[in-house]
Amino acid sequence: MNIGLEKYRHYYETLTESELFRHVTHNSLNQLLEISAAQNWPKKTCILDTSHTLYTFHILITGKIKVYHFDSSNDRLLTLFLLQDNDVFDIFSLMGCGTHKVYYEALEDSEVLCIQVPLMKEWMKENPLVHKSFLSYTVQKMNVLERFIINVALEDIPTRLARLLYNNMDKSSRQYQSICGLSHKELGALIGTTRAVVNRHIQNFKEEGILEVSRNQITITNIHLLKEKLLEKRSSY
């Protein structure tokens, strides 16, 4: 990696804060950075080649990237994960499981470390302790996906929307970070529905005094009413 000392230090400190690399030695982290290439992905950068992650492993340093599936037959998009600082992709391909049909898009300007998969595999062989961290990380992601599938299959859309808002809200400020600034289309993709449906239910929440919307920013005005939505079992799709 041919970068300035300040940037190098920034990457090093970021990796030490990651649960994946926190217990890796100083020398091993330096070796990882040596085989990495830094890339800046401007907002709306897309990776549409599903074989891309067969050859390159990525560590997200800063930014926000969505992982999604798109069905061209009905023009529907489903967001599986929102990746943020210190997330990685794609462990599926890194472990030799082949390609899978997911795509990536930067939802904001993002900085990514890219590592050739053979080099990453060799580094992991020399640092076997990271396998436990990677397994734990994978299990966490599977738990997120499991809850997502259950919610989409068993809950109505108002409940899904309420859960998305409640789970991603800073309970003290009632503001959002992970979903901050996302369009209603992006919010819909996170709960398995469309922009029009999200628009309708956000307007309903607004009329019920649950939230306010200003410049694509949602602020919860009554957290108790929002929590009540999680207990309702309606079927208003």
Side-chain angles (χ1 to χ4, degrees):
M1 176 181 286
N2 186 17
I3 57 174
L5 181 60
E6 184 176 347
K7 204 68 170 175
Y8 193 95
R9 184 181 297 114
H10 169 60
Y11 294 151
Y12 179 87
E13 291 176 351
T14 300
L15 291 181
T16 59
E17 295 171 358
S18 168
E19 291 294 335
L20 289 171
F21 305 106
R22 181 171 294 174
H23 303 297
V24 175
T25 66
H26 170 78
N27 288 338
S28 292
L29 273 184
N30 282 329
Q31 291 169 4
L32 181 62
L33 288 173
E34 287 297 330
I35 62 174
S36 303
Q39 291 185 358
N40 291 311
W41 291 10
K43 182 179 180 179
K44 295 187 178 181
T45 296
C46 294
I47 302 297
L48 302 178
D49 180 1
T50 56
S51 68
H52 176 79
T53 54
L54 278 178
Y55 311 106
T56 309
F57 184 73
H58 304 79
I59 303 171
L60 180 56
I61 299 296
T62 59
K64 189 184 301 178
I65 296 174
K66 74 175 179 180
V67 185
Y68 68 97
H69 175 78
F70 178 72
D71 187 344
S72 58
S73 65
N74 58 16
D75 196 32
R76 291 288 298 275
L77 182 151
L78 186 66
T79 298
L80 302 173
F81 300 106
L82 282 183
L83 303 180
Q84 300 184 83
D85 299 2
N86 281 320
D87 272 318
V88 299
F89 60 100
D90 177 12
I91 292 180
F92 188 91
S93 298
L94 182 66
M95 297 305 173
C97 300
T99 60
H100 54 144
K101 197 173 181 180
V102 296
Y103 311 102
Y104 302 86
E105 179 183 348
L107 297 180
E108 61 187 39
D109 293 346
S110 301
E111 195 168 14
V112 181
L113 294 183
C114 304
I115 308 166
Q116 295 179 28
V117 166
L119 294 179
M120 186 65 191
K121 288 183 176 180
E122 188 62 31
W123 181 85
M124 292 179 70
K125 285 182 182 179
E126 296 172 358
N127 296 273
L129 289 178
V130 301
H131 286 272
K132 183 177 180 180
S133 299
F134 272 64
L135 177 60
S136 177
Y137 177 87
T138 302
V139 170
Q140 290 175 18
K141 292 299 182 185
M142 289 179 64
N143 284 338
V144 170
L145 195 58
E146 179 183 60
R147 291 195 299 269
F148 173 75
I149 293 171
I150 291 172
N151 293 343
V152 169
L154 301 180
E155 294 183 340
D156 61 21
I157 291 175
T159 305
R160 281 183 250 163
L161 178 59
R163 190 175 303 282
L164 177 72
L165 296 175
Y166 185 79
N167 288 347
N168 288 277
M169 178 181 62
D170 183 305
K171 303 304 186 291
S172 58
S173 67
R174 301 188 183 182
Q175 299 293 325
Y176 293 92
Q177 292 185 356
S178 60
I179 61 172
C180 177
L182 294 187
S183 67
H184 290 179
K185 179 180 179 181
E186 294 292 354
L187 294 179
L190 284 167
I191 59 174
T193 190
T194 64
R195 177 186 61 81
V197 175
V198 167
N199 285 345
R200 183 170 74 248
H201 289 296
I202 285 181
Q203 185 60 35
N204 290 342
F205 283 16
K206 184 177 178 181
E207 293 173 355
E208 293 172 26
I210 295 174
L211 55 78
E212 292 180 352
V213 182
S214 177
R215 296 182 180 180
N216 228 28
Q217 303 293 327
I218 295 175
T219 302
I220 300 301
T221 55
N222 193 318
I223 193 171
H224 300 293
L225 289 178
L226 180 64
K227 290 174 70 174
E228 285 182 8
K229 287 288 181 183
L230 299 178
L231 304 176
E232 296 179 0
K233 297 296 181 183
R234 300 183 303 175
S235 301
S236 53
Y237 285 84

